[in-house]
Each structure stands twice: as structure tokens, then as C-alpha cells.
Amino acid sequence: MFGFTAESRFEIPHIGAKGAFVRNGAMRIEIFEIAGSAATPLERQKPNTDLQTQGVKHFCFSVDNVQAAVETLKAAGVEIVGVARGVGQPMRAEDDVTIGNSKPAATAFFFNDPWGSLIEILSRHDFPV
């Protein structure tokens, strides 16, 4: 969905972990899977309550068209857990993420990966190169 490909896979047998590095250009992300690991607590699965817990928050990806991304992920069966429709606007759960009835385009949104970790999508073009 975001152009990442698996670069390498590995195992850490003494803790039952499988891992991989995924890559998109110069960016690499290390991800893990451990059978029987504890589920992500419910308060960490929602953007507004996750910020109230210390620690690592979430991944965020910048895309050119946030509205197209939210509609594509929703159509693929991904649960969207919060949508902002304007810079600085609160994240709100929406059953229908499409634009309609004068609803503005999404400027950011959150979804959960299959294990409950939050991932944010927004559009930013002011990062230094």
C-alpha cells in the first residue's frame, strides 16, 4: 500500500520472534511478530487516548492525497479509527469516510495495523529536503 518491500527477514529463536526490515527508498522500518504476545491495550488503539500514555506513539506517513488514501484503505477493509477534516481539527470516528454533504476532504487519519498499533496518515509538504 505504501510502497515498502521486504528487504530481509530474521528470527530470534530464544524469544520466539520473527522480524523483518521493510524498505522504501532510503527508509527502513524494523517490524516484529511474536506468537502469543500481549495485545495492544485498548487505550493505545485510539489516537485521542494513546497520547495520554507515555512512550512511543505511532508511525506517521505523509501522502499527497489524504482523502484518496483513507477511501482506499477503508475499501480494502481497514478499520479507520479517527479522521480529521481540517488542520487542527479533532480526530473523530466516521462510518462513512467519503466526501459528501459539504464534508471537507480529510487532512489526516488514523488506522490500526492488524495488532492494534496506530498508524497516522497526513499530508505535509514543508519537511526539509
PDB file of all heavy atoms in Angstrom, residues 2-5 7 22-28:
ATOM      1  N   PHE A   2       1.968   1.252   0.748  1.00  0.00           N
ATOM      2  CA  PHE A   2       2.802   2.440   0.869  1.00  0.00           C
ATOM      3  C   PHE A   2       4.145   2.285   0.174  1.00  0.00           C
ATOM      4  O   PHE A   2       5.057   3.067   0.400  1.00  0.00           O
ATOM      5  CB  PHE A   2       3.003   2.796   2.346  1.00  0.00           C
ATOM      6  CG  PHE A   2       1.715   3.148   3.022  1.00  0.00           C
ATOM      7  CD1 PHE A   2       1.113   2.265   3.881  1.00  0.00           C
ATOM      8  CD2 PHE A   2       1.082   4.344   2.752  1.00  0.00           C
ATOM      9  CE1 PHE A   2      -0.085   2.574   4.491  1.00  0.00           C
ATOM     10  CE2 PHE A   2      -0.116   4.668   3.349  1.00  0.00           C
ATOM     11  CZ  PHE A   2      -0.704   3.780   4.218  1.00  0.00           C
ATOM     12  N   GLY A   3       4.291   1.260  -0.657  1.00  0.00           N
ATOM     13  CA  GLY A   3       5.496   1.105  -1.453  1.00  0.00           C
ATOM     14  C   GLY A   3       6.663   0.443  -0.754  1.00  0.00           C
ATOM     15  O   GLY A   3       7.781   0.466  -1.261  1.00  0.00           O
ATOM     16  N   PHE A   4       6.431  -0.170   0.401  1.00  0.00           N
ATOM     17  CA  PHE A   4       7.506  -0.870   1.099  1.00  0.00           C
ATOM     18  C   PHE A   4       7.640  -2.295   0.576  1.00  0.00           C
ATOM     19  O   PHE A   4       6.650  -2.920   0.223  1.00  0.00           O
ATOM     20  CB  PHE A   4       7.242  -0.921   2.612  1.00  0.00           C
ATOM     21  CG  PHE A   4       7.470   0.381   3.304  1.00  0.00           C
ATOM     22  CD1 PHE A   4       6.456   1.324   3.392  1.00  0.00           C
ATOM     23  CD2 PHE A   4       8.707   0.678   3.855  1.00  0.00           C
ATOM     24  CE1 PHE A   4       6.659   2.528   4.024  1.00  0.00           C
ATOM     25  CE2 PHE A   4       8.925   1.887   4.491  1.00  0.00           C
ATOM     26  CZ  PHE A   4       7.889   2.820   4.572  1.00  0.00           C
ATOM     27  N   THR A   5       8.873  -2.778   0.544  1.00  0.00           N
ATOM     28  CA  THR A   5       9.115  -4.171   0.193  1.00  0.00           C
ATOM     29  C   THR A   5       9.981  -4.787   1.287  1.00  0.00           C
ATOM     30  O   THR A   5      10.763  -4.092   1.947  1.00  0.00           O
ATOM     31  CB  THR A   5       9.842  -4.300  -1.167  1.00  0.00           C
ATOM     32  OG1 THR A   5      11.060  -3.557  -1.116  1.00  0.00           O
ATOM     33  CG2 THR A   5       8.980  -3.782  -2.307  1.00  0.00           C
ATOM     34  N   GLU A   7      12.985  -6.323   2.779  1.00  0.00           N
ATOM     35  CA  GLU A   7      14.398  -6.316   2.413  1.00  0.00           C
ATOM     36  C   GLU A   7      15.115  -7.531   2.993  1.00  0.00           C
ATOM     37  O   GLU A   7      15.941  -8.140   2.330  1.00  0.00           O
ATOM     38  CB  GLU A   7      15.042  -5.029   2.914  1.00  0.00           C
ATOM     39  CG  GLU A   7      16.492  -4.878   2.513  1.00  0.00           C
ATOM     40  CD  GLU A   7      17.049  -3.542   2.929  1.00  0.00           C
ATOM     41  OE1 GLU A   7      16.950  -3.189   4.124  1.00  0.00           O
ATOM     42  OE2 GLU A   7      17.588  -2.853   2.051  1.00  0.00           O
ATOM     43  N   VAL A  22      11.650  -3.716   6.327  1.00  0.00           N
ATOM     44  CA  VAL A  22      10.984  -3.326   5.091  1.00  0.00           C
ATOM     45  C   VAL A  22      11.587  -2.004   4.650  1.00  0.00           C
ATOM     46  O   VAL A  22      12.048  -1.208   5.469  1.00  0.00           O
ATOM     47  CB  VAL A  22       9.447  -3.242   5.247  1.00  0.00           C
ATOM     48  CG1 VAL A  22       8.863  -4.617   5.544  1.00  0.00           C
ATOM     49  CG2 VAL A  22       9.046  -2.243   6.315  1.00  0.00           C
ATOM     50  N   ARG A  23      11.581  -1.794   3.338  1.00  0.00           N
ATOM     51  CA  ARG A  23      12.286  -0.633   2.794  1.00  0.00           C
ATOM     52  C   ARG A  23      11.462   0.050   1.716  1.00  0.00           C
ATOM     53  O   ARG A  23      10.781  -0.595   0.920  1.00  0.00           O
ATOM     54  CB  ARG A  23      13.605  -1.102   2.204  1.00  0.00           C
ATOM     55  CG  ARG A  23      14.435  -0.002   1.620  1.00  0.00           C
ATOM     56  CD  ARG A  23      15.738  -0.533   1.084  1.00  0.00           C
ATOM     57  NE  ARG A  23      16.553   0.575   0.615  1.00  0.00           N
ATOM     58  CZ  ARG A  23      17.809   0.473   0.290  1.00  0.00           C
ATOM     59  NH1 ARG A  23      18.416  -0.690   0.361  1.00  0.00           N
ATOM     60  NH2 ARG A  23      18.466   1.524  -0.117  1.00  0.00           N
ATOM     61  N   ASN A  24      11.569   1.375   1.723  1.00  0.00           N
ATOM     62  CA  ASN A  24      11.036   2.208   0.653  1.00  0.00           C
ATOM     63  C   ASN A  24      12.073   3.297   0.441  1.00  0.00           C
ATOM     64  O   ASN A  24      12.204   4.192   1.271  1.00  0.00           O
ATOM     65  CB  ASN A  24       9.682   2.798   1.022  1.00  0.00           C
ATOM     66  CG  ASN A  24       9.078   3.610  -0.114  1.00  0.00           C
ATOM     67  OD1 ASN A  24       9.780   4.032  -1.028  1.00  0.00           O
ATOM     68  ND2 ASN A  24       7.785   3.829  -0.041  1.00  0.00           N
ATOM     69  N   GLY A  25      12.854   3.188  -0.629  1.00  0.00           N
ATOM     70  CA  GLY A  25      13.943   4.132  -0.850  1.00  0.00           C
ATOM     71  C   GLY A  25      14.972   3.997   0.257  1.00  0.00           C
ATOM     72  O   GLY A  25      15.407   2.905   0.593  1.00  0.00           O
ATOM     73  N   ALA A  26      15.323   5.131   0.878  1.00  0.00           N
ATOM     74  CA  ALA A  26      16.317   5.120   1.950  1.00  0.00           C
ATOM     75  C   ALA A  26      15.702   4.822   3.314  1.00  0.00           C
ATOM     76  O   ALA A  26      16.420   4.664   4.291  1.00  0.00           O
ATOM     77  CB  ALA A  26      17.040   6.469   1.993  1.00  0.00           C
ATOM     78  N   MET A  27      14.367   4.739   3.400  1.00  0.00           N
ATOM     79  CA  MET A  27      13.713   4.489   4.688  1.00  0.00           C
ATOM     80  C   MET A  27      13.591   3.004   4.936  1.00  0.00           C
ATOM     81  O   MET A  27      13.159   2.240   4.075  1.00  0.00           O
ATOM     82  CB  MET A  27      12.310   5.093   4.710  1.00  0.00           C
ATOM     83  CG  MET A  27      11.619   4.859   6.047  1.00  0.00           C
ATOM     84  SD  MET A  27       9.874   5.273   6.083  1.00  0.00           S
ATOM     85  CE  MET A  27       9.890   6.991   5.709  1.00  0.00           C
ATOM     86  N   ARG A  28      13.978   2.599   6.148  1.00  0.00           N
ATOM     87  CA  ARG A  28      13.837   1.214   6.577  1.00  0.00           C
ATOM     88  C   ARG A  28      13.088   1.190   7.900  1.00  0.00           C
ATOM     89  O   ARG A  28      13.337   2.017   8.775  1.00  0.00           O
ATOM     90  CB  ARG A  28      15.199   0.565   6.769  1.00  0.00           C
ATOM     91  CG  ARG A  28      15.918   0.272   5.490  1.00  0.00           C
ATOM     92  CD  ARG A  28      17.266  -0.391   5.790  1.00  0.00           C
ATOM     93  NE  ARG A  28      17.924  -0.769   4.579  1.00  0.00           N
ATOM     94  CZ  ARG A  28      18.712   0.019   3.869  1.00  0.00           C
ATOM     95  NH1 ARG A  28      18.937   1.250   4.269  1.00  0.00           N
ATOM     96  NH2 ARG A  28      19.287  -0.411   2.769  1.00  0.00           N
TER      97      ARG A  28
END
